[in-house]
């Protein structure tokens, strides 16, 4: 071997050892893959799901929080009292909670955070969550009272959103790049374009976490994500971008596949204000033209649950209404003829980038063609989709997943992009907002689902599954995804 | 010479101005509101308004163009909409990946191409020459992203010698960082080396047919002595031109390879910024690349003029 050869192989070997080194002692750190990089790390100033996927429950905490099963649990608020009229919530805060900069978290911080989110110049992406708040009062350092303008059954779950986390006045402005929260992990490093690293916060008020550090790596290309898992660069990829690889992971003893539910309803939205979709017979015809199971097989390799209205199947108030729009092309053609479209018609289908939309869109277009509807496919980027479909409602058909939890109320909004306009539905939602009783709420939610199915507002397709993959020994990752998050508080390596 | 340089400088400035105008117009004509993208589907109109004001999007196009231009003149590139950090910082970080990667790939490509090209030319039409030329044909034909995937499959997944991608940063140690850039550099270098080897071979063969080589042989030099002492230096000029071109291509065009290896480079930054409608970042990255290309052309022009006085008259 020549001298250069020796130096080269020594260099390669040395580097290989250096790379393999941490892998051997990896029992207290974890490295997770994510598709999108968060634009910043401040959950109170952006809608990007990727922000919450890094910081929710790990770095920042709110008064309440989502648990894995979707229930609302106490977080920074140890307990709360609700006045009889449902207008006033008194939160009792945990004592001894500190921010990562060492300062104590008190009722003043809660007041600051909520007032900031609902302020005139607030850029909170979910400002609507705070709309009902009339005043926030500090009772004593560990008690805060929130007064609402009207009773709101969803208030406690609103406070569990990532957009409602508690921040400190001194650090709030810099949270985008140097987040300071109260969670079990603190911010360590952000290599833009590559990864974010969190480390354990030793003075955490609650149960200490098992992991010493966690790294989120951003790998958007599905092939690269697959290679990174196979090469051992990643320990887990909680929402893997390519369902087609699942079978391969399942067959490999190194890995386990984690299949769970999300709050994402995939729908083919129809512009209810535009001809011919302003005719309920046409919308009904579209709904009956689609074979949901075939769609799930083709677009998502068999993962996913069919839905018949706009509520997640794991929700206790869920009613299965898929039969009401079962696959029936014959009926579909009849309905079209009845509406005056014996010869069918031409329309457009706008598809945003995710694979459920692009792949699913092709399949949907062929189902539609089968009953005589020629849908021209137009692929758009997200920014374009938001502008043309969402903002300007310039579309006929589009496929999208609505991933926010419990978002059935969007159908009651004025000028929302479906252009659905039903006084009856608005009333159900208004009543729901003012109802705190669980049983009554369930009944109203069922009513709401039926109303949407009866009106064939959109073609309700299937519930987006959460498909994750992890090394077999990695325990405690969330299986379901009640909100966009990668909660690491229970994650640990098997002994 | 001075007037030549001045004239070239004026044309360089004009090109840059024209490029900035075209870039700005194209980027601002594309539909998609950055504020809406950042706040998403549930955003309220007044929150959107506040953000637009914060980002300066409430100003007219003309105002935005001039403040961008003015900023660039004083080295103030603005703040990224999405990352909320100065654009110059963002680009600086990415350059530390893209620039070394381009240099690494260029070094590899030269190290492969020179011996291969010289060897082929020296043994023209021999089986070795034919097989080297066959291989370079293959190297040009294979798409580099596909070759990159093969490299990952073999060296990362099967042998586990390299990570499948990512970049640990130079602060993690020179060797470790170099190690992380090795597979991408090899993937980038293969097609470049193939092109370069062919150019090297044909240029050398052409020079070998020149009169001065015959003179050298007549003086008693062997064929290979004539090649090494006289032909090679003269054959290098077109090769160096190609290397210059390849360098700007590697700097700006590594985007697909950056995606395959999820490297935080300039190309991927521009690509993501376009999707996120981070207009200020897109504008500035593209402007920077345009600047690099124009600057390299300018320097090459100067170098030619310095070497060959006849060009000065022609160009001016």
């Amino acid at each position: 071997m020549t001298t250069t050869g020796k130096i080269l192989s020594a260099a390669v070997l040395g580097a290989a050892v250096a790379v393999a080194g941490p892998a051997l002692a990896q029992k207290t750190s974890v490295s997770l893959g994510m598709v999108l990089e968060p634009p910043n790390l401040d959950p109170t100033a952006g809608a990007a799901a990727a922000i919450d996927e890094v910081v929710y429950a790990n770095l920042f905490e709110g008064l309440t929080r989502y648990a894995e099963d979707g229930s609302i649990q106490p977080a920074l608020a140890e307990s709360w009292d609700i006045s009889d009229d449902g207008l006033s919530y008194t939160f009792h805060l945990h004592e001894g909670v500190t921010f990562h900069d060492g300062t104590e978290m008190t009722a003043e911080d809660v007041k600051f955070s909520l007032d900031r989110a609902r302020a005139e110049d607030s850029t909170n992406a979910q400002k609507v969550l705070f709309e009902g708040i009339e005043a926030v009062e500090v009772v004593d350092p560990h008690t805060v009272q929130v007064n609402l303008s009207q009773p709101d059954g969803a208030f406690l779950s609103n406070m569990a959103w990532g957009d409602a986390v508690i921040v400190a006045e001194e650090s709030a402005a810099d949270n985008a790049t140097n987040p300071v929260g109260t969670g079990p992990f603190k911010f360590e490093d952000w290599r833009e374009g590559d990864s974010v690293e969190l480390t354990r916060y030793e003075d955490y008020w609650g149960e200490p976490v098992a992991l010493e550090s966690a790294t989120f790596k951003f790998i958007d290309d599905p092939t690269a994500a697959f290679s990174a898992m196979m090469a051992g660069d990643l320990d887990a990829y909680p929402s893997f971008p390519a369902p087609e690889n699942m079978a391969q992971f399942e067959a490999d003893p190194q890995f386990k596949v984690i299949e769970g539910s999300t709050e994402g309803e995939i729908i083919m939205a129809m512009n209810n204000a535009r001809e011919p979709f302003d005719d309920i017979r046409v919308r009904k015809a579209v709904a009956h033209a689609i074979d949901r199971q075939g769609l799930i097989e083709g677009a998502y390799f068999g993962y996913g649950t069919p839905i018949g209205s706009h509520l997640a199947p794991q929700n206790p108030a869920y009613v299965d209404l898929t039969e009401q729009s079962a696959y029936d092309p014959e009926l579909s053609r009849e309905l079209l003829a009845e509406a005056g479209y014996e010869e069918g018609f031409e329309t457009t289908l706008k598809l945003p980038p995710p694979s459920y939309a692009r792949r699913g869109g092709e399949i949907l277009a062929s189902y539609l063609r089968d009953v005589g509807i020629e849908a021209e496919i137009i692929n758009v980027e997200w920014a374009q989709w938001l502008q043309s479909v969402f903002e300007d409602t310039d579309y006929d058909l589009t496929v999208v997943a609505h991933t926010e939890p419990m978002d059935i109320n969007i159908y009651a909004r004025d000028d929302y992009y479906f252009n659905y306009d039903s006084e009856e539905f608005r009333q159900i939602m208004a009543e729901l907002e003012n109802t705190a009783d669980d049983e009554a709420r369930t009944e109203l939610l069922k009513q709401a689902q039926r109303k949407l199915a009866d009106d064939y507002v959109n073609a309700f397709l299937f519930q987006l599954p959460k498909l994750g993959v992890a090394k077999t020994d990695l325990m405690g990752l969330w299986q379901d995804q009640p909100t966009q998050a990668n909660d690491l508080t229970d994650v640990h390596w098997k002994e | 010479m001075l007037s030549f340089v001045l004239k070239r400088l004026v044309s360089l400035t004009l090109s840059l101005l024209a490029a900035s105008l075209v870039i700005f117009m194209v980027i601002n004509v594309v539909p998609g509101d950055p504020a809406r993208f950042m706040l998403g589907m549930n955003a309220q109109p007044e929150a959107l308004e506040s953000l637009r004001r914060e980002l300066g999007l409430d100003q007219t196009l003309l105002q935005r163009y001039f403040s961008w231009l003015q900023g660039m003149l004083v080295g103030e590139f603005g703040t990224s909409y999405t990352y909320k950090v100065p654009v110059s910082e963002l680009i600086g970080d990415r350059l530390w990946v893209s620039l070394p990667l381009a240099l690494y790939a260029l070094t590899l490509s030269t190290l492969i191409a020179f011996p291969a090209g010289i060897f082929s030319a020296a043994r023209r039409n021999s089986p070795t020459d034919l097989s080297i030329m066959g291989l370079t044909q293959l190297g040009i034909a294979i798409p580099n992203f596909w070759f990159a995937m093969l490299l990952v499959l073999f060296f990362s997944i099967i042998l586990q010698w390299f990570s499948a991608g990512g970049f640990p940063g130079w602060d993690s140690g020179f060797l470790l960082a170099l190690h992380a850039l090795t597979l991408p550099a090899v993937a980038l270098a293969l097609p470049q080396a193939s092109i370069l080897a062919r150019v090297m071979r044909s240029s050398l063969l052409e020079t070998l047919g020149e009169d001065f080589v015959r003179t050298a042989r007549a003086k008693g030099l062997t064929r290979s002595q004539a090649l090494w002492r006289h032909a090679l230096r003269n054959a290098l000029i077109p090769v160096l031109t190609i290397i210059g071109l390849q360098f700007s291509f590697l700097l700006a065009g590594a985007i697909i390879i950056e995606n395959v290896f999820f490297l935080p480079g300039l190309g991927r930054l521009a690509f993501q910024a376009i999707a996120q409608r981070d207009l200020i970042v897109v504008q500035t990255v593209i402007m920077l690349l345009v600047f690099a290309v124009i600057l390299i052309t300018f320097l090459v022009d100067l170098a030619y003029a310095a070497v060959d006085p006849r060009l000065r008259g022609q160009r001016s």
Side-chain angles (χ1 to χ4, degrees):
Chain A
M1 195 185 264
T2 61
T3 325
T4 356
K6 274 180 197 155
I7 294 174
L8 262 181
S9 53
V12 169
L13 202 69
V17 169
V19 170
L24 292 174
Q26 205 176 36
K27 292 300 172 192
T28 53
S29 72
V30 69
S31 132
L32 303 167
M34 272 172 61
V35 175
L36 292 178
E37 176 173 25
N40 63 68
L41 294 174
D42 184 355
T44 66
I51 303 175
D52 283 327
E53 285 172 13
V54 173
V55 304
Y56 188 82
N58 299 331
L59 227 153
F60 286 107
E61 297 167 305
L63 291 172
T64 58
R65 57 162 296 173
Y66 279 101
E68 189 189 347
D69 60 1
S71 64
I72 303 298
Q73 301 290 339
L76 290 177
E78 195 172 28
S79 62
W80 48 82
D81 310 311
I82 308 172
S83 66
D84 290 338
D85 57 6
L87 284 175
S88 154
Y89 286 70
T90 308
F91 292 96
H92 305 286
L93 307 176
H94 275 284
E95 293 192 21
V97 177
T98 53
F99 284 102
H100 300 150
D101 60 5
T103 56
E104 203 191 353
M105 194 279 307
T106 64
E108 287 294 343
D109 296 303
V110 176
K111 179 174 165 56
F112 167 76
S113 302
L114 297 183
D115 283 347
R116 173 172 172 260
R118 64 198 189 94
E120 185 95 34
D121 61 349
S122 151
T123 53
N124 196 297
Q126 312 287 351
K127 204 175 164 184
V128 66
L129 296 176
F130 310 94
E131 246 182 354
I133 299 180
E134 207 169 60
V136 184
E137 284 162 32
V138 173
V139 179
D140 65 53
H142 297 106
T143 315
V144 66
Q145 187 182 336
V146 180
N147 296 324
L148 306 182
S149 48
Q150 51 181 346
D152 181 359
F155 182 66
L156 287 174
S157 68
N158 286 353
M159 291 301 104
W161 282 54
D163 308 80
V165 296
I166 303 306
V167 297
E169 188 164 5
E170 337 49 283
S171 48
D174 294 329
N175 277 344
T177 49
N178 184 22
V180 175
T182 57
F185 290 93
K186 65 181 196 301
F187 173 71
E188 184 67 34
D189 187 25
W190 183 3
R191 303 179 40 73
E192 272 128 5
D194 187 71
S195 57
V196 169
E197 194 187 343
L198 309 180
T199 50
R200 181 160 68 197
Y201 177 51
E202 301 297 343
D203 295 326
Y204 182 56
W205 60 272
E207 195 75 22
V209 287
L211 294 174
E212 264 166 36
S213 73
T215 308
F216 293 90
K217 287 191 177 172
F218 314 115
I219 306 175
D220 49 355
D221 184 79
T223 319
F226 181 72
S227 309
M229 277 309 296
M230 294 308 263
D233 295 356
L234 296 176
D235 298 316
Y237 207 122
S239 294
F240 197 76
E244 59 269 31
N245 291 133
M246 285 302 139
Q248 212 168 338
F249 284 126
E250 233 157 315
D252 193 328
Q254 288 183 75
F255 301 110
K256 58 183 172 188
V257 167
I258 308 169
E259 190 194 349
S261 59
T262 72
E263 294 294 317
E265 292 85 17
I266 300 178
I267 58 171
M268 179 164 73
M270 298 187 252
N271 192 340
N272 282 225
R274 193 182 270 192
E275 238 182 302
F277 302 106
D278 54 349
D279 186 334
I280 185 170
R281 288 169 299 187
V282 173
R283 298 202 301 267
K284 193 172 170 184
V286 168
H288 281 294
I290 299 162
D291 176 9
R292 294 191 182 90
Q293 207 51 51
L295 177 71
I296 294 171
E297 293 294 335
Y300 239 75
F301 294 79
Y303 298 95
T305 316
I307 51 169
S309 187
H310 199 103
L311 200 78
Q314 67 270 21
N315 193 301
Y318 175 75
V319 216
D320 185 354
L321 296 166
T322 47
E323 273 310 304
Q324 201 171 326
S325 46
Y327 180 47
D328 191 347
E330 207 42 58
L331 176 63
S332 188
R333 280 183 214 109
E334 275 167 34
L335 283 163
L336 284 176
E338 208 179 297
Y341 295 99
E342 292 91 348
E343 303 296 314
F345 58 89
E346 284 179 9
T347 186
T348 61
L349 173 58
K350 286 193 175 168
L351 302 176
S355 67
Y356 64 73
R358 291 276 165 92
R359 249 185 232 150
E362 301 280 347
I363 298 169
L364 288 168
S366 83
Y367 284 135
L368 292 178
R369 194 172 305 123
D370 193 36
V371 298
I373 303 172
E374 271 307 322
E376 183 202 344
I377 287 177
I378 304 172
N379 288 338
V380 292
E381 295 171 79
W382 270 125
Q384 252 175 307
W385 187 90
L386 283 166
Q387 180 87 56
S388 66
V389 177
F390 191 78
E391 191 101 38
D392 304 338
T393 61
D394 176 20
Y395 78 105
D396 299 310
L397 299 169
T398 186
V399 178
V400 71
H402 279 261
T403 52
E404 271 89 18
M406 274 299 288
D407 56 359
I408 195 168
N409 59 356
I410 54 180
Y411 289 81
R413 285 189 200 164
D414 294 325
D415 303 322
Y416 204 67
Y417 77 108
F418 314 137
N419 285 319
Y420 173 59
D421 182 16
S422 157
E423 208 34 60
E424 195 187 329
F425 188 82
R426 280 197 197 99
Q427 264 165 16
I428 302 175
M429 283 300 116
E431 213 176 314
L432 182 71
E433 243 174 63
N434 294 331
T435 311
D437 176 58
D438 271 343
E439 222 164 290
R441 284 179 67 84
T442 303
E443 203 35 60
L444 285 166
L445 279 171
K446 285 185 175 167
Q447 232 177 310
Q449 290 171 73
R450 287 201 188 91
K451 178 68 184 153
L452 295 181
D454 289 346
D455 284 347
Y456 293 91
V457 184
N458 293 317
F460 303 102
L461 304 174
F462 65 98
Q463 196 71 19
L464 186 70
K466 177 175 161 113
L467 291 176
V469 55
K471 287 198 178 144
T472 320
D473 286 346
L474 188 65
M475 317 309 261
L477 280 171
W478 272 11
Q479 181 178 5
D480 295 328
Q481 188 168 277
T483 183
Q484 309 270 12
N486 289 307
D487 181 354
L488 299 178
T489 43
D490 283 335
V491 172
H492 59 274
W493 290 93
K494 203 159 107 183
E495 292 299 313
Chain B
M1 185 75 188
L2 189 68
S3 81
F4 171 76
V5 172
L6 278 178
K7 274 177 191 159
R8 297 267 78 199
L9 266 178
V10 170
S11 99
L12 175 134
T13 316
L14 287 178
S15 317
L16 283 177
L17 252 177
S20 76
L21 193 66
V22 172
I23 291 169
F24 184 82
M25 290 314 286
V26 169
I27 282 166
N28 281 282
V29 154
V30 177
D33 171 15
R36 170 58 85 180
F37 185 85
M38 286 165 73
L39 292 187
M41 289 159 68
N42 264 353
Q44 290 188 316
E46 66 263 29
L48 282 170
E49 265 322 301
S50 309
L51 186 61
R52 286 198 190 107
R53 244 194 326 278
E54 206 180 291
L55 299 177
L57 290 170
D58 52 344
Q59 295 171 346
T60 64
L61 271 185
L62 213 60
Q63 278 174 321
R64 276 158 55 199
Y65 175 65
F66 280 112
S67 69
W68 177 52
L69 217 54
Q70 204 182 359
M72 280 198 299
L73 285 179
V74 295
E76 186 61 54
F77 297 106
T79 305
S80 156
Y81 296 167
T82 38
Y83 289 115
K84 312 240 163 148
V85 295
V87 176
S88 50
E89 199 178 290
L90 213 52
I91 292 180
D93 285 352
R94 304 303 176 100
L95 263 180
W96 275 108
V97 180
S98 287
L99 207 58
L101 177 62
L103 282 172
Y104 194 176
L106 201 64
T107 313
L108 283 180
S109 126
T110 316
L111 284 179
I112 299 169
F114 271 49
I118 296 170
F119 198 78
S120 276
R123 292 190 170 65
R124 188 179 185 183
N125 290 337
S126 71
T128 337
D129 174 30
L130 292 179
S131 35
I132 289 181
M133 284 305 109
L135 281 177
T136 56
Q137 195 76 54
L138 200 65
I140 295 171
I142 290 179
N144 61 6
F145 70 90
W146 184 72
F147 181 58
M149 286 181 196
L150 289 189
L151 289 176
V152 170
L153 182 67
F154 191 68
F155 291 104
S156 308
I157 297 179
I158 298 177
L159 295 177
Q160 307 232 333
W161 286 1
F162 294 88
S163 298
F167 186 65
W170 292 102
D171 47 358
S172 69
F174 179 75
L175 276 184
L176 208 61
L178 206 62
H179 184 254
L181 291 181
T182 300
L183 289 187
V186 170
L188 280 172
L190 178 83
Q192 306 300 332
S194 303
I195 296 170
L196 206 57
R198 294 179 80 86
V199 173
M200 183 81 224
R201 176 180 178 272
S202 56
S203 166
L204 200 54
L205 284 176
E206 200 179 311
T207 331
L208 282 173
E210 298 272 346
D211 287 348
F212 68 87
V213 178
R214 199 162 21 155
T215 314
R217 292 293 302 276
K219 280 197 317 186
L221 293 186
T222 65
R223 191 177 149 81
S224 85
Q225 277 171 330
L227 188 151
W228 286 103
R229 289 194 202 156
H230 298 281
L232 187 59
R233 289 178 70 169
N234 285 287
L236 274 182
I237 294 162
V239 174
L240 291 177
T241 314
I242 298 283
I243 290 183
L245 284 176
Q246 289 192 340
F247 185 68
S248 41
F249 169 79
L250 286 172
L251 192 59
I255 174 165
I256 297 176
I257 292 298
E258 282 174 12
N259 262 328
V260 173
F261 291 100
F262 43 101
L263 292 172
L266 266 189
R268 200 149 157 252
L269 174 70
F271 183 68
Q272 286 169 347
I274 291 171
Q276 293 167 338
R277 289 295 181 274
D278 197 341
L279 305 183
I280 190 92
V281 171
V282 182
Q283 272 162 226
T284 315
V285 172
I286 298 179
M287 199 60 213
L288 181 84
L289 293 175
V290 169
F291 180 71
V293 171
I294 291 182
L295 188 72
I296 289 173
T297 320
F298 173 70
L299 292 177
V300 168
D301 272 353
L302 286 190
Y304 281 160
V307 172
D308 191 343
R310 284 170 302 180
L311 286 175
R312 283 176 230 166
Q314 272 176 27
R315 296 261 168 145
S316 45

